[in-house]
Amino acid sequence: MKKQRKGSRPLADRKVLICFTKEEYDELQALLKISKFNSMSGMVRHIIEGKGVVATHYESTFDNQLEEIEKIHKDLHILRVEMDQSSKSFYFQQPPEAMLTNAQIAAFIYEQVGHTIEPLYALITEISKKWLPA
């Protein structure tokens, strides 16, 4: 009885020697590095069977922008919590002076949201210039 792998394909026990030019081999090596395959033979077998090879690519040029966006997200979350706390105090019976103070706090927080969003617009513009056609 033939050995069989976990999948439906039987264990390969026949060898074929294939020669490539240096350019072809370098191209296959580059494809192997960015694919899910662990071995060159597995990848070549996959190609011969007519199945596509999925290559993954990580775009590291946006790391700085993504860190900035994450920082802006955290800042906006903090401002939202402060705004929620400020707006809840309006529901309680308070003297007019306290309500005026709460309104001033809410106005200040609203202003801070505007200052926090301005760098976000700059980041989005920078990203869109790189990826969107002119």
Side-chain angles (χ1 to χ4, degrees), residues 25-129:
Y25 185 77
D26 291 343
E27 186 178 335
L28 286 171
Q29 280 290 95
L31 185 59
L32 179 64
K33 286 180 183 176
I34 59 174
S35 71
K36 65 176 181 166
F37 294 98
N38 297 327
S39 68
M40 177 77 74
S41 61
M43 184 181 72
V44 171
R45 191 170 30 254
H46 202 74
I47 292 170
I48 290 172
E49 291 173 356
K51 300 175 182 172
V53 175
V54 177
T56 56
H57 175 72
Y58 177 73
E59 182 64 52
S60 63
T61 58
F62 290 122
D63 285 349
N64 294 336
Q65 287 92 352
L66 291 175
E67 287 174 10
E68 286 293 318
I69 289 173
E70 179 65 24
K71 182 183 174 295
I72 291 170
H73 176 263
K74 289 177 182 177
D75 292 344
L76 287 173
H77 177 73
I78 290 168
L79 290 172
R80 183 190 65 86
V81 170
E82 289 176 0
M83 183 64 88
D84 287 347
Q85 291 171 350
S86 174
S87 63
K88 284 180 184 177
S89 63
F90 278 112
Y91 292 109
F92 298 110
Q93 295 272 329
Q94 294 183 358
E97 297 83 21
M99 290 183 75
L100 178 62
T101 303
N102 286 333
Q104 289 172 338
I105 291 171
F108 177 75
I109 293 171
Y110 185 75
E111 185 178 309
Q112 291 300 321
V113 169
H115 292 304
T116 305
I117 289 180
E118 287 173 12
L120 182 62
Y121 290 139
L123 285 170
I124 291 171
T125 303
E126 186 178 331
I127 291 170
S128 65
K129 282 180 183 176

Side-chain angles (χ1 to χ4, degrees), residues 1-6 9-13:
M1 181 160 196
K2 289 187 176 183
K3 293 181 182 178
Q4 196 162 4
R5 293 183 182 188
K6 291 181 183 177
R9 191 173 172 277
L11 185 64
D13 58 354

